[in-house]
Amino acid sequence: MAEGNSPVPANGMTLEAVRDSLIRQEDTIIFSLIERAKFPLNSPTYQQSYASIPGFSGPLIDFFVKQAEALQAKTGRYQNPEEHPFFPDDLPPSLVPPYDFPPILHPAANSINVNNKIWDTYFNQLLPLLAKPGDDGNYASTATSDLNCLQAISRRIHYGNFVAEVKFKDAPEDYEPAIRAQDRDALMKLLTFEAVEKMVVERVGKKTKTFAQEVTLNSTSRNDQKCKVDPSVVSQLYEKWIMPLTKLVEVEYLLRRLD
Amino acid sequence: MAEGNSPVPANGMTLEAVRDSLIRQEDTIIFSLIERAKFPLNSPTYQQSYASIPGFSGPLIDFFVKQAEALQAKTGRYQNPEEHPFFPDDLPPSLVPPYDFPPILHPAANSINVNNKIWDTYFNQLLPLLAKPGDDGNYASTATSDLNCLQAISRRIHYGNFVAEVKFKDAPEDYEPAIRAQDRDALMKLLTFEAVEKMVVERVGKKTKTFAQEVTLNSTSRNDQKCKVDPSVVSQLYEKWIMPLTKLVEVEYLLRRLD
């Protein structure tokens, strides 16, 4: 919807801007998946006691993500309401001056974090479809790639807060009855547009075909080409996990929108 | 060159495998540049005294890269001879069991690190061509993107060690006289194939056009499309900086190959 059709944009943010961001984030997610698929599974990264780290017990990936998030917290990442940590407990404070991010969301957004579900889905469902079996010893690079994927997927899903806010501001009368009734099912129905979802699933498949192809000087793009990531895996990721979890965030946000 | 034509492959590594890796690394570099271009310049990331970090003086990017490399060192990144830190001093030891990377390179490779030149080129030459002016407050994400670009470019350039080793093993008699004479110019001449370099420059331009395009359900790939990164910037990056620095690494390696 163009800005002109949106009578009360959420602090200048329009549904069009939200959609543009979601579309651009598709590219980021697909790039990060292609880069993770470059490495084999590298299972020592995920084994309970592969590394012996003083003062830490757990898999290498947990150590890596916790420490990387601590560094990113110090450099201000989580001041941006688009960003959500996977290990939110005991994060150090930011060491950079606060940046004036425009206040768009209701404060309720601060209490919404579905990263536990994203973590579980990524490692147990997606990664086995993405990474070939094998071990090339690149555990640190593998963990870095995992974190890039996790952060890109998490940003997309928690962007549901912005989607919900803009939709609510656009037509509060549509949502208020279901919010007052705390009716999850009604909200989910209001937020579901099957034709749009089908289009997204198709588009991310097409994007994956384009970005994951082998480009050579002699080749033209072909549909039968072997891809670095199977386009159907990305379509499935969106259909089964990203879009449902985004809508879950939207519902959680709207349920608290009138608090 | 196919394996069958290479009489003494360097511990099983062939020129063909080296070339395949270099070609795959092009995709990684281009993805990382597209992702950096998503953010504006975000100059506070690079200002001498923007952040006030206890026990540290310097720009935020230095703090971020040093700390991120320390974490990656702990998780074993620099055990792989393909990886080279930007701040090699005082890196902590790895906390993961050593992985048995195949011994391909002469130990001389350990003393070759051109990351100072890469750092300077990236921030002073490339970044102004890549990032639009502006400040959106995402300094931590910007620094993360910078590090992804720096590491991808650094891995490509230091892969010159493997290129040189495989070429040397393939035809030692071609290189030995120049190595014994410590003749840099003669080695540079032996390692320069203008037709191949021209092809690489063209290929990375074509790849950038493909990966940096807007993919929509209705569109077909077009040559006149606006790209997220200007393909000529990536061609220039390869022509002016990546390929000359790779050859510099190759020359440095060969000069020490008979030590």
Side-chain angles (χ1 to χ4, degrees), chain A residues 60 63 67, chain B residues 69-77 92-96:
Chain A
L60 192 64
F63 174 77
Q67 298 289 319
Chain B
E69 288 194 334
L71 171 59
Q72 298 194 342
K74 284 184 200 167
T75 48
R77 183 185 189 99
S94 170
L95 302 172
V96 300

Side-chain angles (χ1 to χ4, degrees), chain A residues 2-248:
Chain A
E3 192 166 0
N5 297 332
S6 173
V8 194
N11 219 323
M13 185 175 259
T14 61
L15 194 50
E16 198 184 12
V18 166
R19 282 189 184 146
D20 284 349
S21 174
L22 292 176
I23 287 171
R24 177 62 187 85
Q25 289 183 54
E26 292 165 3
D27 300 19
T28 298
I29 290 172
I30 294 166
F31 293 153
S32 71
L33 298 177
I34 294 171
E35 286 301 286
R36 176 58 186 86
K38 198 169 58 169
F39 299 105
L41 182 59
N42 281 335
S43 60
T45 316
Y46 315 110
Q47 282 163 10
Q48 190 56 32
S49 43
Y50 176 71
S52 55
I53 300 169
F56 185 86
S57 122
L60 192 64
I61 186 69
D62 290 31
F63 174 77
F64 182 85
V65 172
K66 270 187 196 183
Q67 298 289 319
E69 288 195 335
L71 172 59
Q72 297 193 342
K74 283 185 202 168
T75 48
R77 184 185 188 98
Y78 303 107
Q79 294 185 2
N80 184 338
E82 292 179 29
E83 304 289 349
H84 295 74
F86 284 83
F87 293 93
D89 297 336
D90 308 318
L91 276 183
S94 170
L95 301 171
V96 300
Y99 179 85
D100 200 15
F101 289 100
I104 291 167
L105 301 179
H106 186 281
N110 295 332
S111 62
I112 299 169
N113 186 330
V114 300
N115 274 342
N116 277 345
K117 285 184 207 287
I118 294 171
W119 182 276
D120 180 64
T121 300
Y122 177 79
F123 288 109
N124 296 321
Q125 313 282 331
L126 182 62
L127 196 51
L129 300 176
L130 201 62
K132 293 187 195 71
D135 182 345
D136 69 1
N138 287 306
Y139 313 133
S141 299
T142 296
T144 305
S145 278
D146 285 329
L147 181 56
N148 283 339
C149 293
L150 286 166
Q151 288 181 331
I153 293 170
S154 171
R155 194 181 310 110
R156 164 59 165 86
I157 288 171
H158 290 96
Y159 214 76
N161 289 313
F162 293 90
V163 176
E165 175 61 24
V166 169
K167 285 184 172 176
F168 176 83
K169 272 278 177 65
D170 212 30
E173 65 283 3
D174 289 356
Y175 296 94
E176 280 179 9
I179 297 174
R180 292 199 199 286
Q182 293 285 293
D183 187 339
R184 288 174 167 275
D185 293 345
L187 286 170
M188 190 58 95
K189 217 170 155 187
L190 283 167
L191 294 164
T192 299
F193 298 90
E194 278 175 20
V196 173
E197 292 181 11
K198 197 164 161 284
M199 200 182 63
V200 172
V201 169
E202 276 176 37
R203 187 174 55 227
V204 296
K206 185 176 175 189
K207 284 187 173 184
T208 307
K209 261 185 206 148
T210 305
F211 300 151
Q213 68 181 304
E214 299 290 343
V215 176
T216 64
L217 278 179
N218 307 317
S219 72
T220 47
S221 292
R222 294 200 328 263
N223 273 335
D224 58 341
Q225 236 199 163
K226 203 182 163 308
C227 283
K228 296 181 196 92
V229 164
D230 181 349
S232 74
V233 168
V234 180
S235 289
Q236 194 183 336
L237 164 69
Y238 263 78
E239 189 170 19
K240 276 185 157 176
W241 301 307
I242 288 185
M243 291 194 301
L245 283 172
T246 305
K247 286 194 288 181
L248 173 66

Side-chain angles (χ1 to χ4, degrees), chain B residues 187-214:
Chain B
L187 286 171
M188 191 57 96
K189 218 172 156 184
L190 282 167
L191 295 165
T192 300
F193 297 90
E194 279 176 18
V196 173
E197 294 182 9
K198 196 164 162 283
M199 199 182 63
V200 172
V201 168
E202 277 176 36
R203 187 174 56 227
V204 296
K206 185 176 174 189
K207 284 187 174 185
T208 307
K209 261 185 207 150
T210 305
F211 300 150
Q213 68 181 305
E214 299 290 344

Side-chain angles (χ1 to χ4, degrees), chain B residues 17-89:
Chain B
V18 166
R19 281 188 185 147
D20 284 349
S21 174
L22 292 176
I23 287 171
R24 177 62 187 84
Q25 289 183 55
E26 291 166 3
D27 300 20
T28 299
I29 290 172
I30 294 166
F31 294 153
S32 71
L33 298 177
I34 294 171
E35 286 301 286
R36 176 58 185 87
K38 198 169 57 168
F39 299 105
L41 183 59
N42 280 337
S43 61
T45 317
Y46 315 110
Q47 282 163 10
Q48 189 56 31
S49 43
Y50 177 70
S52 56
I53 300 169
F56 185 86
S57 121
L60 191 64
I61 186 71
D62 289 31
F63 174 77
F64 182 86
V65 172
K66 269 188 195 183
Q67 298 289 321
E69 288 194 334
L71 171 59
Q72 298 194 342
K74 284 184 200 167
T75 48
R77 183 185 189 99
Y78 303 107
Q79 294 184 3
N80 184 338
E82 292 178 28
E83 304 290 348
H84 295 75
F86 284 83
F87 293 93
D89 297 337

Side-chain angles (χ1 to χ4, degrees), chain B residues 88-141:
Chain B
D89 297 337
D90 307 318
L91 276 183
S94 170
L95 302 172
V96 300
Y99 179 85
D100 200 15
F101 289 101
I104 290 167
L105 300 179
H106 186 282
N110 295 331
S111 62
I112 299 170
N113 185 330
V114 299
N115 274 342
N116 277 344
K117 286 184 207 290
I118 294 171
W119 182 277
D120 181 65
T121 301
Y122 177 78
F123 288 108
N124 296 320
Q125 313 282 330
L126 182 61
L127 197 51
L129 300 175
L130 201 62
K132 294 187 192 74
D135 182 344
D136 69 2
N138 288 306
Y139 313 134
S141 299

